Amino acid sequence: MADRTDAVWSATGTTPDAIEAALRELLIERHAENNKFAPARALNMIVFVDREWSGEIANRLRGVGRYHASRLIVLAYEPRRERLDARVTIAAEGDPDTDEVTLLRETVVIDVGDRHLDDLITIADPLVVTDLPTLLWSPHGHEDIVQELLALSQAVLLDSVDEPVAREALNRVCGLTERAYVVDLAWLRSIPWRERVAGAFDPPRLRRELRMITSVEVRHHQDSPVTAMLLGGWLASRLGWRTSPLVGHGAALVGKAHGERQDVTLRLQAAPEMTVRGLEGVTIETASGRLLRLDRGEGGLHAHARDPRGELREWTIPGASRGEAGILGEGIRQALLRDPTYIPAVTAARAMLP
Amino acid sequence: MAVAAGVPTPQVEPENPLTAGLERVPVAPTTLVIFGATGDLARRKLLPALYNLAHDGALPQRFHLIGIARKEKAHEDYRAECAEAIRRFSRRKPEDEVLTALLENVRYIPGTFDDESVYTKLAKTLDEFEQIAGEPLNRAFYLATAPNFFPVIVEQLGESKLAHHEGAAVRLIVEKPFGTSLAEARELNRRVLGIFDETQVFRIDHYLGKETVQNMLAFRFANGMFEPFWNRNYIDSVQITAAEDIGVGTRADYYDQAGALRDLIQNHMLQVLCHVAMEPPVSFTAEEVRNEKVKVLESVPQPTPEQVPEIAVRAQYAAGHAGGEDVPGYLEEDRVPPDSTTETYAALRLEVDNWRWAGVPFYLRTGKRLARKVTEIAVTLKPVPHLAFSQQGSLGVLPNQLVLTLQPNEGVSLRLGAKIPGTRMVIRPVNMEFLYGTAFLSQSPEAYERLITDAMRGDAMLFTRNDEVEAQWRICDPIVSTWARMPGPLPKYPAGSQGPPEGEQILREGDHWRAI
């Protein structure tokens, strides 16, 4: 629902030119209304959704807060639709009656049907802000549409966890990386874990132990084996391990990675009690007898450490959970960055596929 | 290369391959000790910054906090005070679970800063934390006290053998003001560096922690288009303004001792001047960047007492209007002595006598209760050598002006001449504007979040080095001492105005202050 600071335009049976003209006109009106209004110009985002689920996607996007794309173009697909209907909203972020500039975020929702799919690019193209990076997201699949709209996009957002089969998820990523930068929400869910594992071995006297790792166990939501594989793939690619196919063992995938000095036992264990996507915990052991176990907990990660003398310690590393809305927002933000470690992690993870 | 027999090969620590690609570089396990733990700075800035770092998962893997202040209280009471301060001043609403996890590792030590037993208890608590962690923890001592306690605390830390620690780094974070004169700054440096090595000392200038100030380096050195005209051949003058619309408020006790020159110009504004005038550093490291800044400061001639009236102006705000309300003058403010000669406005004309900037005036201006709040740098270019257009019927062709606004709306604006639509060639100035806030999705962290993290990491880029502080005082000291010898009352400007008319006296002929 529009609030008092939103400007709205809508039309039925419209054209991309008319929509673009309406956007321009609304922006001029808003600026004339108050010169503290300034359009955000960081990122375009094109979202292709099935119209019947577009409300759910809209809710998810509302949750990203300040990470809302500057111009969001939602193409809502309804197979038998004949005409283009569109609604443009320009929302103000904050109160214009202050000294601060008030950012304007633009959202364009266009209802499209089968007859528009062949020329979808000609509908979206006039609406993206020239020279801004464009992020593409198609949360309901539609691979053929993604391939077409990639011509307009520099980055594509996906969630490897959405693919029921890990092999297909990782293969899809590899296919897409040839054409665009991939932002994978499954990978972003592992950020706090990667940061803490990197931090645990960062003190200079512990860095040598990275070459002495003998086993890694990653515990994950039962629908998120890909996130666990990506974490394992990240360790393997950063530490120079050669990975090989894991084998199923009950609710786990187990196998070996081959390090310079020794083999590393890998275990990706589903945690059926876990209710949110992502990782539940990780345990790393080294040849010196050191053990680090990190578990999701209240107020942060619970750390359990055993040093080579066998002394045990437990503590909490503070940190707030980002939640799924936070992860999606992070995905949008990451479209403006480049993480050089993702593709090597995917490559190593693919080699672990059973 | 052959290694001489008997000479031990230095052990090179391996890189951590896991940090590649991570936005946040790990911070080593640390115990942070705040001296002045119940003061305003700790409550309003440091504790909220620590909570926000905790919320973002950006604190070290192992993090402990020890608060030291005069009042007797139990650990639990101090934790409750921390929670209250965080709830009140944090930029985001704290989550109870994260707050609890953060406060679990907080301890409090009561006592005066000259009391040896405080340091004995501190050493014991630091050791206890290391016992719990099973490893040596880095130590960061944050001096958030009145400046007269700095030398006392530093010397007590030295005598208690707390300035160095086997197997871990020890750092000293010192709040401003670092001295109130060149002699004091030198003496403080001497006493601090008698105990700590310069690489251990992190002098806070919170302006340097602002994204906006750091952006100036990106603006200058990541864009090739500015460098060709960034010199005396094309630039006519530079104006740096830090204007506030508020009065002295509750800070009268501090402010009346400091004044506008010491409060803002001697530190923050001279740092901004350095960012404008410095040469590109060879590399973006703390030492190289600070070397270049020191060269700028050393290129600014030290004014003689006779020159001070020509290059410096001071004034006090009188009663006036702000935000539609009547407001009192400085001398009528609470806790301000009625005969105070402390300046609430200061303006300087400085020169940077080097090959790049010789002859270009750098105007610095700051004040309280001015027309509005703005911090900006205005770089005015020289006028075009020949104007082919008639000025008749136009608002005039003005020289190009590049304005970098640091607050409130961080951005860059370029004044250009443009033709007014119509049949005649009539020119008027227009602005091409860029606002940083429109171009990024991320929110800037608070300056103290960045500075605390950098100090714990040992990255000194955003901190002031000893020679920088002394070079800043070398410029300001003669002005402070000359003003101290000149009797009041000071020139006045109405609250809510553009400042005193006397401010115009230091401008070169033909120059004008930009409207605030």
Side-chain angles (χ1 to χ4, degrees):
Chain A
M1 195 176 78
D3 66 25
R4 71 173 181 88
T5 53
D6 289 354
V8 179
W9 171 93
S10 63
T12 54
T14 187
T15 64
D17 277 356
I19 301 168
E20 198 273 336
L23 265 167
R24 244 183 306 122
E25 196 58 37
L26 282 180
L27 283 170
I28 291 168
E29 280 175 19
R30 300 238 70 182
H31 189 69
E33 181 189 323
N34 188 325
N35 64 10
K36 294 275 169 45
F37 284 130
R41 285 294 175 258
L43 181 75
N44 297 304
M45 184 172 181
I46 302 175
V47 183
F48 187 86
V49 292
D50 290 335
R51 193 168 185 275
E52 59 184 315
W53 301 109
S54 61
E56 182 217 329
I57 297 302
N59 278 338
R60 288 183 68 184
L61 287 168
R62 262 194 287 275
V64 305
R66 66 174 182 271
Y67 296 131
H68 191 290
S70 317
R71 182 171 287 181
L72 174 65
I73 301 161
V74 180
L75 302 168
Y77 169 58
E78 189 180 26
R80 283 195 288 273
R81 166 167 289 277
E82 288 292 317
R83 61 166 201 239
L84 287 183
D85 291 350
R87 179 181 167 88
V88 174
T89 308
I90 298 193
E93 189 186 89
D95 179 3
D97 300 328
T98 66
D99 282 346
E100 303 277 340
V101 160
T102 301
L103 285 184
L104 298 176
R105 313 270 191 205
E106 301 143 42
T107 301
V108 183
V109 180
I110 309 173
D111 296 331
V112 298
D114 279 331
R115 64 181 291 265
H116 304 110
L117 294 187
D118 287 346
D119 298 313
L120 208 51
I121 202 159
T122 64
I123 295 172
D125 196 357
L127 299 175
V128 296
V129 182
T130 310
D131 291 337
L132 287 191
T134 299
L135 174 67
L136 172 63
W137 186 34
S138 178
H140 304 133
H142 300 290
E143 195 55 32
D144 49 340
I145 302 295
V146 169
Q147 289 301 326
E148 186 189 348
L149 291 175
L150 272 177
L152 285 179
S153 315
Q154 289 73 47
V156 60
L157 181 74
L158 53 82
D159 190 347
S160 291
V161 167
D162 285 340
E163 291 278 353
V165 181
R167 178 176 299 278
E168 284 173 16
L170 296 178
N171 285 346
R172 182 174 180 229
V173 166
C174 288
L176 287 169
T177 53
E178 289 169 14
R179 296 189 59 194
Y181 178 68
V182 173
V183 179
D184 186 349
L185 300 183
W187 173 246
L188 302 186
R189 286 189 193 93
S190 72
I191 287 176
W193 305 90
R194 285 184 277 133
E195 284 180 343
R196 288 311 180 184
V197 170
F201 289 95
D202 196 55
R205 67 185 185 288
L206 295 182
R207 288 181 197 169
R208 289 169 207 287
E209 297 223 10
L210 286 170
R211 298 167 69 190
M212 298 160 62
I213 291 176
T214 52
S215 80
V216 175
E217 180 186 82
V218 186
R219 297 172 290 284
H220 60 86
H221 181 269
Q222 52 194 0
D223 291 343
S224 307
V226 173
T227 303
M229 276 187 189
L230 289 172
L231 187 70
W234 169 70
L235 280 168
S237 59
R238 300 310 310 155
L239 298 174
W241 303 343
R242 198 160 34 83
T243 46
S244 52
L246 305 179
V247 293
H249 193 269
L253 289 171
V254 295
K256 297 272 185 200
H258 312 288
E260 192 183 306
R261 293 185 179 177
Q262 72 273 314
D263 283 354
V264 182
T265 303
L266 295 178
R267 183 179 184 88
L268 311 183
Q269 176 75 49
E273 71 283 2
M274 194 178 170
T275 54
V276 292
R277 287 174 158 190
L279 301 179
E280 172 68 17
V282 58
T283 304
I284 296 174
E285 288 185 84
T286 72
S288 72
R290 190 176 295 279
L291 176 143
L292 173 73
R293 177 182 172 134
L294 298 171
D295 289 297
R296 185 188 285 263
E298 275 198 355
L301 297 183
H302 288 173
H304 311 251
R306 184 187 67 211
D307 67 20
R309 291 166 299 186
E311 289 180 23
L312 296 170
R313 288 183 172 80
E314 286 185 29
W315 73 100
T316 300
I317 305 169
S321 169
R322 291 169 296 173
E324 279 300 301
I327 300 282
L328 180 59
E330 180 65 15
I332 295 170
R333 189 180 78 88
Q334 289 276 338
L336 297 172
L337 304 172
R338 293 295 178 265
D339 182 348
T341 63
Y342 173 61
I343 292 304
V346 171
T347 306
R350 276 178 95 195
M352 286 185 223
L353 287 166
Chain B
M1 185 191 287
V3 177
V7 177
T9 311
Q11 204 173 19
V12 179
E13 297 297 348
E15 290 288 309
N16 178 356
L18 300 184
T19 57
L22 294 177
E23 275 190 82
R24 274 197 290 261
V25 182
V27 184
T30 301
T31 301
L32 179 69
V33 181
I34 302 179
F35 289 89
T38 55
D40 243 21
L41 178 69
R43 291 174 60 249
R44 287 172 183 270
K45 297 290 182 187
L46 305 184
L47 292 168
L50 290 172
Y51 171 78
N52 283 299
L53 291 171
H55 185 104
D56 291 337
L59 282 179
Q61 199 97 345
R62 283 280 196 180
F63 178 78
H64 302 269
L65 175 66
I66 301 172
I68 301 181
R70 193 171 47 80
K71 286 180 196 155
E72 195 71 38
K73 65 185 76 174
H75 299 308
E76 268 318 311
D77 294 337
Y78 181 60
R79 286 185 198 120
E81 281 182 24
C82 291
E84 190 269 328
I86 289 165
R87 288 202 177 92
R88 185 156 171 214
F89 297 114
S90 168
R91 68 182 164 91
R92 58 156 76 93
K93 189 172 181 288
E95 287 186 13
D96 286 344
E97 294 84 1
V98 179
L99 192 52
T100 303
L102 173 68
L103 297 179
E104 257 172 30
N105 293 313
V106 173
R107 300 279 190 281
Y108 180 77
I109 299 175
T112 55
F113 302 132
D114 58 353
D115 179 355
E116 273 177 40
S117 71
V118 166
Y119 299 85
T120 310
K121 286 179 204 156
L122 173 60
K124 190 166 166 273
T125 311
L126 289 166
D127 287 344
E128 278 170 19
F129 283 145
E130 297 196 352
Q131 289 292 321
I132 293 168
E135 59 181 329
L137 302 173
N138 284 357
R139 295 167 178 186
F141 299 116
Y142 199 124
L143 309 191
T145 66
N148 52 317
F149 292 118
F150 296 169
V152 178
I153 296 169
V154 165
E155 281 162 11
Q156 287 287 354
L157 288 170
E159 282 172 23
S160 310
K161 308 277 185 270
L162 288 169
H164 301 277
H165 187 48
E166 183 73 30
V170 180
R171 298 181 175 115
L172 182 76
I173 306 166
V174 189
E175 263 296 332
K176 78 159 196 175
F178 201 84
T180 59
S181 65
L182 177 60
E184 267 189 33
R186 279 182 176 152
E187 174 61 12
L188 187 52
N189 268 332
R190 189 187 67 75
R191 291 172 79 171
V192 167
L193 299 177
I195 309 286
F196 290 89
D197 185 79
E198 175 62 29
T199 57
Q200 294 178 276
V201 183
F202 295 76
R203 295 174 192 81
I204 293 258
D205 182 330
H206 74 267
Y207 248 50
L208 295 178
K210 289 179 185 282
E211 287 279 323
T212 52
V213 176
Q214 295 164 45
N215 252 332
M216 285 172 57
L217 295 180
F219 175 81
R220 280 197 59 202
F221 302 132
N223 297 290
M225 64 182 287
F226 300 111
E227 180 57 22
F229 72 76
W230 209 255
N231 58 58
R232 65 191 167 87
N233 296 324
Y234 296 92
I235 290 179
D236 190 63
S237 67
V238 177
Q239 279 188 24
I240 302 173
T241 300
E244 291 183 278
D245 54 356
I246 55 170
V248 73
T250 56
R251 294 176 70 218
D253 287 340
Y254 159 75
Y255 195 85
D256 198 62
Q257 296 298 311
L261 186 79
R262 285 188 178 111
D263 188 43
L264 270 160
I265 292 182
Q266 179 273 332
N267 35 59
H268 308 322
M269 295 184 75
L270 283 178
Q271 284 290 334
V272 172
L273 181 148
C274 288
H275 282 71
V276 174
M278 69 191 267
E279 295 298 316
V282 173
S283 61
F284 200 61
T285 61
E287 286 316 295
E288 292 297 344
V289 170
R290 297 194 296 180
N291 286 345
E292 294 305 333
K293 288 197 290 180
V294 169
K295 284 185 204 167
V296 172
L297 294 167
E298 286 176 347
S299 304
V300 177
Q302 187 179 36
T304 62
E306 295 72 35
Q307 286 170 329
V308 168
E310 295 165 25
I311 65 149
V313 166
R314 60 176 173 160
Q316 270 178 353
Y317 62 84
H321 310 281
E325 308 257 332
D326 292 344
V327 293
Y330 180 67
L331 298 181
E332 291 93 52
E333 296 273 19
D334 278 350
R335 305 181 71 84
V336 172
D339 57 348
S340 169
T341 56
T342 299
E343 77 282 0
T344 63
Y345 173 98
L348 307 184
R349 186 185 75 234
L350 300 176
E351 306 239 332
V352 180
D353 267 353
N354 62 20
W355 191 278
R356 187 189 284 265
W357 294 112
V360 178
F362 282 74
Y363 299 116
L364 276 60
R365 166 179 61 161
T366 184
K368 289 197 172 291
R369 280 277 185 238
L370 291 170
R372 71 186 177 100
K373 177 184 176 176
V374 64
T375 305
E376 65 172 27
I377 302 150
V379 178
T380 305
L381 274 71
K382 292 190 170 170
V384 291
H386 168 68
L387 194 61
F389 311 112
S390 163
Q391 293 265 41
Q392 199 178 18
S394 83
L395 295 172
V397 177
L398 298 175
N400 297 130
Q401 195 172 57
L402 184 71
V403 180
L404 293 95
T405 306
L406 305 186
Q407 61 178 359
N409 294 310
E410 183 191 10
V412 181
S413 153
L414 179 62
R415 184 172 70 194
L416 304 164
K419 179 184 173 298
I420 297 173
T423 54
R424 297 178 61 197
M425 180 56 90
V426 183
I427 311 292
R428 84 164 176 87
V430 293
N431 282 344
M432 190 163 76
E433 306 245 14
F434 165 70
L435 292 163
Y436 278 100
T438 65
F440 298 96
L441 297 174
S442 306
Q443 194 180 30
S444 296
E446 282 287 310
Y448 276 97
E449 293 170 32
R450 172 75 194 266
L451 292 170
I452 291 170
T453 310
D454 279 8
M456 288 195 294
R457 284 174 50 216
D459 182 347
M461 172 86 76
L462 303 180
F463 298 86
T464 318
R465 207 167 57 188
N466 58 342
D467 50 351
E468 264 180 292
V469 172
E470 291 183 18
Q472 288 169 346
W473 274 119
R474 190 188 59 83
I475 297 164
C476 292
D477 215 32
I479 302 170
V480 172
S481 53
T482 306
W483 281 354
R485 287 194 299 272
M486 291 162 64
L490 269 54
K492 296 285 192 290
Y493 59 98
S497 70
Q498 295 284 321
E502 289 82 353
E504 302 285 327
Q505 291 169 7
I506 61 168
L507 299 177
R508 192 180 52 182
E509 191 177 343
D511 287 349
H512 303 281
W513 288 113
R514 266 174 62 81
I516 288 171

